[in-house]
Amino acid sequence: MTEYLDIAGNTLAYDVTGQGPLVVLAHGIGDSRHSYRFLAPALAAQGYRVANVDVRGCGDSSVGWDGYSRTDIAGDLVAVVRQLGGPAVIIGQSISGGAATIAAATAPDLIAGVIELAPFTRAQSFDLGGLVRVKRFRAGYTQMAQVMLRGRLESWLKYLDVALPVKPADWDGESARIAAKLREPGRMKVLQAMCKTSPADAGAQLANVTCPVLIIEGSADPDWADPRAEGEKIVADLPRGLGELAVVEGAGHYLHVQTPDQVVALAQPFLAKTLTRA
């Protein structure tokens, strides 16, 4: 059952399944909570209360928000945790990985831990060498540039084709659902706005995080020439001993869709340890 949280006159949609310690799921740009269709029931079955959120402007949440930065999304996620009663672990993918970092740094009483899937948590520099050397990085970058400049849905779908090197069995229906949602008024504008936000606000908060952080990267993620190196840099910018990195071989940007069993296996000990301690 979809629930709605009013935030400054806008609505944030989420659903809650299961009983137990709270885990909040937050997806990436151009997506919705449906991307956690494999992860959410698996975590609920393991004894967690799972809040699966449509971040602002996406899914069933309203459009027309004042901003779409990671700081904005972090405030929404903290509001959900406060509404449901924390502490919680946030699992955030892509832009929401950076948002989860900010939430942890700014609301340490509510956020007990963070799992970041293929996160954009650091300011990115232009990697010309990577574009020349790495075909998948070049392919993803080309389509994302078209999305940012022209707002083309076709380019976004081509990006997703690269970002998911191995598709789940339901991908034909799922990609059609994504396309239909993005054709709704204002949705592609939100996607563009999110693409243009800088991760610098999240990077600036890494040193202020006090809870454990697990970074999970896919080795075939087209958003970086070297996804492992990006994950290592995030861990290095955290206070010593708080961060750990795992890399799923062959996975793209959407690990929770392509390799949900591996993500659950990596998340399970982190969640058990972190939420028990909280």
Side-chain angles (χ1 to χ4, degrees):
M1 182 182 200
T2 304
E3 301 183 40
Y4 296 92
L5 181 62
D6 183 275
I7 300 177
N10 289 288
T11 55
L12 198 74
Y14 64 94
D15 54 41
V16 181
T17 55
Q19 299 291 328
L22 181 61
V23 178
V24 175
L25 307 180
H27 59 81
I29 67 173
D31 213 336
S32 74
R33 68 189 192 276
H34 200 255
S35 69
Y36 283 109
R37 61 195 179 278
F38 306 127
L39 210 63
L43 294 176
Q46 291 183 0
Y48 294 100
R49 181 170 47 127
V50 181
N52 194 3
V53 180
D54 279 335
V55 304
R56 55 172 56 198
C58 300
D60 294 323
S61 293
S62 61
V63 296
W65 300 70
D66 289 340
Y68 295 97
S69 70
R70 287 156 182 78
T71 298
D72 295 323
I73 296 169
D76 298 341
L77 297 178
V78 170
V80 170
V81 175
R82 191 170 281 118
Q83 172 79 6
L84 296 176
V89 166
I90 298 177
I91 301 180
Q93 190 254 343
S94 198
I95 191 173
S96 290
T101 293
I102 297 170
T106 56
D109 57 321
L110 292 174
I111 310 306
V114 169
I115 299 176
E116 302 189 18
L117 308 177
F120 275 94
T121 306
R122 298 171 57 258
Q124 303 293 303
S125 57
F126 182 66
D127 186 359
L128 178 59
L131 288 173
V132 172
R133 295 191 315 273
V134 183
K135 181 180 179 181
R136 60 170 168 73
F137 179 48
R138 185 167 61 251
Y141 186 92
T142 299
Q143 299 306 326
M144 285 297 296
Q146 292 296 315
V147 172
M148 292 176 67
L149 293 173
R150 301 182 182 180
R152 295 184 56 191
L153 174 58
E154 295 81 3
S155 296
W156 179 249
L157 295 176
K158 289 178 181 178
Y159 163 78
L160 291 180
D161 189 52
V162 178
L164 266 170
V166 179
K167 292 7 176 225
D170 67 350
W171 184 243
D172 286 346
E174 179 63 10
S175 59
R177 189 199 61 77
I178 290 170
K181 177 59 65 172
L182 288 174
R183 289 190 183 100
E184 294 179 359
R187 299 295 183 189
M188 279 300 299
K189 292 293 185 184
V190 170
L191 193 160
Q192 282 184 287
M194 288 183 174
C195 284
K196 294 175 182 178
T197 61
S198 169
D201 57 347
Q205 291 286 3
L206 282 167
N208 299 322
V209 173
T210 58
C211 65
V213 178
L214 171 61
I215 308 296
I216 307 179
E217 302 278 7
S219 69
D221 192 329
D223 285 352
W224 295 277
D226 188 345
R228 178 183 290 275
E230 178 63 22
E232 289 172 346
K233 290 172 184 175
I234 296 171
V235 171
D237 286 345
L238 287 162
R240 184 180 297 273
L242 286 187
E244 58 180 309
L245 170 66
V247 178
V248 178
E249 292 300 320
H253 194 59
Y254 296 87
L255 303 99
H256 55 305
V257 176
Q258 183 186 337
T259 57
D261 291 345
Q262 289 93 320
V263 171
V264 170
L266 290 166
Q268 185 176 20
F270 180 90
L271 292 172
K273 176 180 66 175
T274 305
L275 287 172
T276 298
R277 183 169 59 246

